[in-house]
Amino acid sequence: MTGVERMTFGKAINAGLRRCLEQDPKVLLMGEDIGTLGGVFRVTESLQKDFGADRVIDTPLAESGIVGTAIGLALRGYRPVLEIQFDGFIFPAFNQITTQLAKMSYRSRGSLHLPVVIRVPYGGGIGAVEHHSESPEVLFAHTPGLRVIAPASPNDAFVMIQQAVASPDPVMFFEPKARYWDKGDVDLSVTITATDATDAGEAGDPAASTSGTPVAMDRARVARPGTDLTIAAYGATVAMALRAAEAAAAEGISVEVVDLRSISPLDAATLVTSVRKTRRCVVVHEAPVFYGTGGEIAARITEECFYELEAPVLRVGGFHTPYPVNKVEQAYLPNLDRILDAITRSLAY
Amino acid sequence: MIPTGDRTDVDTVQLLTPSGERLDHPDYSPRIAHLGPDALRGLYRDMVLVRRFDNEATSLQRQGELALWAQCLGQEAAQVGSGRALAPHDYAFPSYREHGVAHTRGIDPTDILRLFRGVDHGGGWDPTERGFHLYTLVIAAHTLHATGYAMGLQRDGLVGTGDPERDSAVITYFGDGATSQGDLNESLVFAAVNNAPLVLFCQNNQWAISEPTTRQSRVPLVKRGEGFGIPSVRVDGNDVLATYAVTAEALDRARSGGGPTFIEAFTYRMGAHTTSDDPTRYRSSAEEEYWRQRDPIERLRRLLVADGELPDTFVAELEAEAEARGEQLRTAVRAMQAPAAAQMFDHVYASPHAVVESERAWFTEYEASFLDAGATDGGTHR
Ligand SMILES: Cc1ncc(C[n+]2csc(CCOP(=O)(O)OP(=O)(O)O)c2C)c(N)n1
Ligand SMILES: [Mg+2]
């Protein structure tokens, strides 16, 4: 497959996984209902049919087992790509992820690598029952040893899943499930294999580029240029940030949107460059604000841009409550109004 | 056709065949000897009402009134039989499909739909008063809570006193898929070493979403309990008399201090996993047909008809009752309002928490600002 094709976010991940399975016989897919059914979101649709039940594996219903055995398989040279069915069901595997997966490189003084990818459909807004709408990314970002990334567009989904599989490090790959049906152009000519990965663990061109070389998975991207204020977003909230920028433009406010793409590491350089220019920043994520990604970003920007800032970095996100019932989730989630409200407050300083 | 995961070499307790004939069992027949025609009609009524409720909920979901529905279609006998074996002071920990057990605990069916409509994370019933815990969606997590609860009963001297008003037991429900979870296996360990008054009731409905039981186990699931030193029994889960009998026996053992029992109720999920699922993608209509022939309600109906114990008037009254309840349910669900958004800040903690309180205050003021704006310039942002 080559050329540019318009497809949904979910199909783009499917295409990326297919590319990985084609390129590297060591790539395995493991998860609940990912085979015959193609996953509850159909992200792995047809892959078992095309690559066989020994490479696209319907596992027993046990997340700790999925991650724990993937660690063993990775020690044997396999590259397991795991699907956790929903964000809220990752916790039985939390022990394996944080005490084992994240630390093996460190404990073995670099002699053991665990190139395991854990795909997690995350985020809310789909009217689901509890445990199906959460944003637990910060729990993993707070764990040294894990790379944590979240694509926001179909093209990034296609590229970044390949970069994640190519990475020698464990990667938490957060898929904004509310965006699975969004369509976008995907450049199918991009193929990334493990040999492309640099020593630092990134595949692609570290410098943001439009040259056909994909941007490295740990780099942020300016999704919309602007001059008056920077919105930092990732995954689920980038689309909303772009809408807010559009709405603000109608009021004569020029908003720059930075799509972080990576939560760990954080591409502070791209963000700082943006904020030095705009002097104002609003961070938007669905996860609770309290001790969240926004707090880290606010601290970084304050340290690096203290003299340029015109306003404190503001945060828009979830509250310090469990994810609420779906009839009120729209009040919990950052929406257009809350982002515009934060923009207004920032500009009022 | 042999159903998925079936094994002919495993004893399965059955007291009523699919064609409605009684079978004798030396251990279990005495357990149902006291069930006369009234009691049998009662079980029949239970199952008919549960199925009607389940179908009503499915239609409500299709009409957009519920976010999701997890049907118990086909599992009525397993749930009603075991649920009716419980004493009022026993305690049940369900997963998310135990609407039949909920019925036997006197839960208002409307309350169950609160969770599935998305207005409540729990239900609306008082778990302590009903002896029926909240539904748990995280597979197998609640089986440990059930084990601990049973250990609590034991500590409180509510086991093995010989006083039927006092001696109590706990039952927990989970699926075939759940048997793979660490939590379930840890429950078996804790229940066994503590000799906890617990009944572990596994409804093997042959499927965990799209995965057949063979993806979870190489041996019949009933063998899982044995490995932990827990007496285990497989029962025909579509036979309400047999599920009643084996559960009654297991509960008695638990209450008298005899420890835990593992029950595998061999049944079938006749519907989709939930309303979001499409079973045609992974299972055959021949299999579905095989199980339709073993419908749990139909076999009890056949027995009652053969005994001349199902008069037309009873059937007509039951139909009218089911219809009236359906009507009531539809009305109640449609009237179920979304909670005020600020309620999301309630009960996060049992005592005030500064972060929650400041966020609540901010949110309340923020919401009010729209009302003010709306009053003055007519603008609506929401
Ligand atoms: C820890 C966890 N992992 C995954 C899920 C998603 N999930 C919901 S139901 C289900 C299958 C459950 O199968 P089984 O235990 O047989 O119960 P059944 O639904 O058949 O009653 C899965 C995988 C979940 N709810 N919890
Ligand atoms: Mg099942």
Side-chain angles (χ1 to χ4, degrees):
Chain A
M1 270 199 289
T2 51
V4 174
E5 209 176 290
R6 201 166 166 72
M7 61 176 76
T8 63
F9 200 111
K11 284 264 185 289
I13 301 171
N14 179 279
L17 291 169
R18 176 177 291 279
R19 192 65 57 87
C20 295
L21 286 159
E22 282 164 357
Q23 296 296 316
D24 184 350
K26 295 291 190 186
V27 170
L28 305 176
L29 269 47
M30 296 163 63
E32 295 157 10
D33 306 291
I34 68 165
T36 322
L37 186 64
V40 295
F41 292 107
R42 310 292 185 260
V43 170
T44 54
E45 174 127 54
S46 299
L47 296 178
Q48 187 181 67
K49 179 169 66 64
D50 296 345
F51 294 93
D54 59 335
R55 293 193 66 201
V56 180
I57 303 159
D58 270 335
T59 65
L61 206 180
E63 290 76 10
S64 181
I66 294 171
V67 176
T69 57
I71 291 173
L73 284 158
L75 290 171
R76 293 291 314 164
Y78 290 92
R79 300 186 99 83
V81 183
L82 317 179
E83 176 176 299
I84 297 295
Q85 202 160 78
F86 282 91
D87 35 65
F89 304 138
I90 199 164
F91 297 102
F94 198 64
N95 171 45
Q96 287 290 345
I97 297 171
T98 56
T99 73
Q100 303 302 314
L101 184 63
K103 293 185 166 78
M104 202 67 82
S105 171
Y106 193 71
R107 291 173 56 225
S108 68
R109 303 178 117 246
S111 68
L112 300 174
H113 294 290
L114 297 178
V116 176
V117 177
I118 305 184
R119 298 179 34 239
V120 189
Y122 88 106
I126 61 161
V129 292
E130 39 164 11
H131 313 298
H132 293 72
S133 305
E134 298 171 9
S135 297
E137 65 272 15
V138 73
L139 301 177
F140 302 96
H142 201 68
T143 302
L146 302 173
R147 292 175 182 272
V148 183
I149 64 177
S153 69
N155 194 59
D156 265 355
F158 174 70
V159 172
M160 289 166 74
I161 188 65
Q162 293 188 65
Q163 291 169 321
V165 174
S167 171
D169 287 316
V171 179
M172 302 297 300
F173 190 82
F174 282 94
E175 303 174 2
K177 67 172 89 77
R179 307 259 68 89
Y180 274 147
W181 299 273
D182 285 6
K183 284 194 168 162
D185 286 342
V186 174
D187 181 358
L188 294 170
S189 67
V190 176
T191 297
I192 294 156
T193 58
T195 47
D196 298 336
T198 66
D199 287 346
E202 303 108 25
D205 185 351
S209 89
T210 49
S211 66
T213 318
V215 179
M217 71 176 189
D218 57 3
R219 288 306 166 112
R221 183 178 69 94
V222 176
R224 175 187 171 116
T227 52
D228 299 337
L229 181 144
T230 299
I231 299 182
Y234 54 88
T237 51
V238 173
M240 183 67 76
L242 288 168
R243 279 180 54 203
E246 196 67 44
E251 315 261 305
I253 304 160
S254 168
V255 171
E256 177 149 305
V257 176
V258 175
D259 171 5
L260 295 175
R261 301 169 82 249
S262 178
I263 301 148
S264 175
L266 183 68
D267 180 3
T270 300
L271 206 49
V272 163
T273 305
S274 175
V275 178
R276 288 221 166 105
K277 179 177 70 180
T278 64
R279 299 165 162 254
R280 292 181 160 87
C281 182
V282 172
V283 190
V284 185
H285 49 64
E286 291 190 9
V289 161
F290 191 54
Y291 287 115
T293 320
E296 174 60 29
I297 291 173
R300 290 276 147 181
I301 291 178
T302 308
E303 282 163 19
E304 307 255 345
C305 313
F306 188 69
Y307 293 106
E308 286 94 341
L309 281 177
E310 294 283 356
V313 178
L314 299 180
R315 294 167 291 169
V316 181
F319 299 107
H320 190 62
T321 74
Y323 194 88
V325 294
N326 65 56
K327 288 282 186 214
V328 303
E329 69 179 330
Q330 294 305 333
Y332 172 92
L333 291 170
N335 58 18
L336 196 57
D337 286 326
R338 273 175 52 201
I339 300 174
L340 292 174
D341 170 71
I343 291 174
T344 308
R345 280 188 284 134
S346 176
L347 289 166
Y349 275 92
Chain B
M1 171 192 176
I2 292 180
T4 328
D6 201 359
R7 283 268 297 259
T8 42
D9 59 338
V10 180
D11 282 345
T12 301
V13 178
Q14 192 182 57
L15 300 176
L16 188 60
T17 69
S19 51
E21 283 149 30
R22 282 182 186 268
L23 293 179
D24 252 345
H25 192 289
D27 302 328
Y28 294 106
S29 290
R31 290 272 170 193
I32 56 161
H34 67 289
L35 298 179
D38 269 345
L40 295 186
R41 273 192 298 272
L43 293 171
Y44 181 74
R45 173 180 170 273
D46 285 339
M47 292 196 289
V48 168
L49 293 179
V50 167
R51 180 164 296 183
R52 182 56 168 267
F53 162 69
D54 195 54
N55 288 335
E56 290 289 350
T58 303
S59 339
L60 282 165
Q61 197 284 333
R62 297 223 169 97
Q63 293 157 24
E65 298 291 343
L66 302 177
L68 183 81
W69 181 239
Q71 291 168 272
C72 66
L73 187 69
Q75 298 175 220
E76 295 89 351
Q79 299 189 4
V80 166
S82 59
R84 284 294 176 208
L86 293 169
H89 54 280
D90 292 332
Y91 200 95
F93 283 84
S95 60
Y96 45 79
R97 205 188 287 288
E98 277 68 64
H99 321 311
V101 185
H103 167 87
T104 67
R105 302 305 278 171
I107 304 293
D108 179 345
T110 316
D111 279 345
I112 295 173
L113 299 191
R114 296 182 64 77
L115 185 153
F116 292 93
R117 187 168 166 90
V119 301
D120 206 317
H121 277 329
W125 65 88
D126 178 346
T128 314
E129 184 199 330
R130 290 285 157 201
F132 188 72
H133 196 64
L134 307 178
Y135 278 2
T136 300
L137 303 190
V138 181
I139 300 292
H142 62 291
T143 61
L144 278 166
H145 313 158
T147 310
Y149 196 96
M151 288 156 59
L153 293 178
Q154 205 174 24
R155 280 168 184 273
D156 291 345
L158 296 171
V159 174
T161 68
D163 175 359
E165 294 300 309
R166 203 174 152 82
D167 289 345
S168 313
V170 179
I171 188 167
T172 183
Y173 291 87
F174 52 92
D176 41 285
T179 61
S180 293
Q181 282 288 357
D183 278 4
L184 190 271
N185 288 275
E186 292 178 26
S187 298
L188 292 166
V189 169
F190 276 74
V193 301
N194 289 293
N195 207 38
L198 178 69
V199 178
L200 295 127
F201 195 95
C202 175
Q203 288 172 89
N204 177 0
N205 62 7
Q206 314 303 326
W207 293 94
I209 310 187
S210 72
E211 299 195 19
T213 309
T214 46
R215 294 301 307 161
Q216 316 291 343
S217 181
R218 279 179 66 161
V219 297
L221 295 177
V222 65
K223 305 256 183 214
R224 287 283 167 85
E226 289 165 14
F228 290 86
I230 294 178
S232 303
V233 54
R234 180 190 265 191
V235 61
D236 180 340
N238 286 11
D239 172 352
V240 71
L241 301 182
T243 54
Y244 177 91
V246 299
T247 312
E249 190 213 32
L251 288 166
D252 266 356
R253 179 180 306 127
R255 293 189 200 108
S256 64
T261 304
F262 184 96
I263 296 173
E264 178 193 3
F266 202 76
T267 180
Y268 193 66
R269 194 195 78 207
M270 287 173 79
H273 170 69
T274 65
T275 44
S276 304
D277 179 39
D278 173 11
T280 63
R281 294 178 73 103
Y282 53 80
R283 70 186 191 187
S284 70
S285 50
E287 180 187 298
E288 292 179 358
E289 185 50 34
Y290 171 93
W291 283 97
R292 236 190 312 279
Q293 299 304 320
R294 280 151 187 78
D295 189 295
I297 302 184
E298 181 55 20
R299 74 173 75 178
L300 183 57
R301 195 189 67 80
R302 286 180 179 162
L303 172 72
L304 286 166
V305 168
D307 288 355
E309 292 291 355
L310 198 65
D312 291 347
T313 48
F314 178 85
V315 174
E317 273 168 32
L318 179 55
E319 173 53 29
E321 183 185 9
E323 180 55 39
R325 282 171 169 243
E327 176 68 43
Q328 233 175 349
L329 188 77
R330 292 190 293 269
T331 311
V333 167
R334 294 199 175 104
M336 224 179 249
Q337 295 295 321
Q343 268 188 32
M344 70 178 143
F345 297 101
D346 293 351
H347 306 299
V348 180
Y349 297 89
S351 58
H353 183 285
V355 174
V356 176
E357 294 319 317
S358 74
E359 290 188 352
R360 184 206 302 272
W362 180 87
F363 180 79
T364 308
E365 199 178 313
Y366 171 77
E367 277 216 310
S369 73
F370 285 109
L371 294 180
D372 296 347
T376 52
D377 64 25
T380 54
H381 294 263
R382 316 188 59 211

